[in-house]
Amino acid sequence: MHFTSEQRLDDGVLEREFILGEIPGFLWTPASASASAPVPLILLGHPTLGLRRMYPRLVARARHSAAEGFATATIELPGSGDRPRLPALDQARADLRRAMEAGEPVSIEIIDALTLPLVDKAVPEWQAALDALQSLPETGGPVGYSGGVISIGTRLAAVEPRIKAAGLFAGSFIPRATFEEARQVTIPLHVLLQWDDEGNDRQAALDLFDAFGSKEKTLEANMGGHTGVPQFAGEAAARFFTRHLM
């Protein structure tokens, strides 16, 4: 991991950009973090819109988390931002657009093609990033995952034992394999669902929640579309991570 820039935000949060191989990312640490006082780390998931486009929302989440005593980090997803394109994913996205423009149902074949190659590549990259991040003395505490793409978060929660709790955002297409992987998830979960999300299959999100094998799992559903998440939903998620990572 190579840090390429560093700045102190006005609330004392230290923001550092990094490169891990070909993967860019950000690490935010609260002013209280130090080698002698490591803090818990939350991995911030996000959609495939690119880090630069997502930055305002990500840094807002990071600063909110820092106020609660957490470090946060995120990485650019495969095929997003300035990373090399993935032709198979681009073709699946084109097929998705054609189906939606024609008013046709989105087939499970399109969903699998759209999501599984991304999950297969993104999850090992998240694990490599976690290796590097946990080698830093100030971020040596427990680890959580927060955000989407929900199929990425589900697989990470199933295969990565260092992740002790996950807050997942329902709001992306769910491939068939994710339902089986959900049964292997046993860590505490907090799942956020926007009830009127125009891009989300509500029933699929409910079925996935039902499939999770966790003994402690909470579904928080709020009225509104994809970008209408109420502020108090973020506060509930913060309390969830405080309960399980502090």
Side-chain angles (χ1 to χ4, degrees):
M1 173 181 285
H2 172 63
F3 288 108
T4 59
S5 72
E6 177 179 311
Q7 66 169 330
R8 184 74 67 173
L9 306 182
D10 56 14
D11 54 2
V13 174
L14 178 63
E15 176 185 276
R16 285 174 282 179
E17 288 191 68
F18 63 82
I19 290 286
L20 181 65
E22 65 171 21
I23 308 167
F26 284 91
L27 170 64
W28 294 276
T29 49
S32 60
S34 67
S36 60
V39 297
L41 172 67
I42 299 176
L43 307 178
L44 298 182
H46 55 88
T48 56
L49 300 177
L51 278 184
R52 296 301 170 189
R53 183 173 171 185
M54 289 298 301
Y55 176 82
R57 279 191 272 175
L58 288 165
V59 73
R61 290 166 62 191
R63 295 173 82 158
H64 188 274
S65 296
E68 302 296 329
F70 297 104
T72 51
T74 193
I75 58 174
E76 187 75 88
L77 290 175
S80 299
D82 295 328
R83 297 190 61 186
R85 307 303 301 176
L86 299 178
L89 286 181
D90 288 341
Q91 180 60 54
R93 289 168 181 152
D95 293 341
L96 172 66
R97 285 194 298 271
R98 279 196 294 270
M100 297 183 73
E101 290 168 359
E104 300 171 352
V106 179
S107 69
I108 193 64
E109 289 76 20
I110 291 177
I111 293 173
D112 284 357
L114 183 71
T115 309
L116 290 179
L118 177 66
V119 175
D120 290 344
K121 190 167 177 60
V123 167
E125 291 183 350
W126 267 118
Q127 291 178 299
L130 183 53
D131 289 343
L133 291 162
Q134 287 231 288
S135 71
L136 303 173
E138 66 269 34
T139 55
V143 181
Y145 177 89
S146 174
V149 173
I150 198 167
S151 51
I152 294 176
T154 298
R155 186 176 295 179
L156 263 176
V159 304
E160 178 48 72
R162 290 173 290 183
I163 295 178
K164 304 303 183 184
L168 303 177
F169 296 176
S172 52
F173 292 107
I174 304 171
R176 290 169 289 192
T178 300
F179 291 91
E180 184 57 39
E181 291 169 352
R183 295 182 178 91
Q184 304 169 33
V185 175
T186 58
I187 61 173
L189 294 177
H190 183 96
V191 180
L192 178 62
L193 170 65
Q194 285 300 103
W195 200 251
D196 306 303
D197 190 336
E198 58 280 1
N200 184 46
D201 183 335
R202 182 196 302 162
Q203 189 57 55
L206 294 173
D207 291 344
L208 180 63
F209 179 78
D210 189 51
F212 283 119
S214 303
K215 291 183 179 179
E216 181 183 338
K217 56 182 179 179
T218 299
L219 176 67
E220 180 178 353
N222 292 291
M223 304 303 292
H226 189 77
T227 59
V229 180
Q231 181 176 345
F232 60 76
E235 294 167 356
R239 290 193 297 270
F240 166 79
F241 282 114
T242 297
R243 204 160 59 241
H244 293 289
L245 300 183
M246 287 296 194

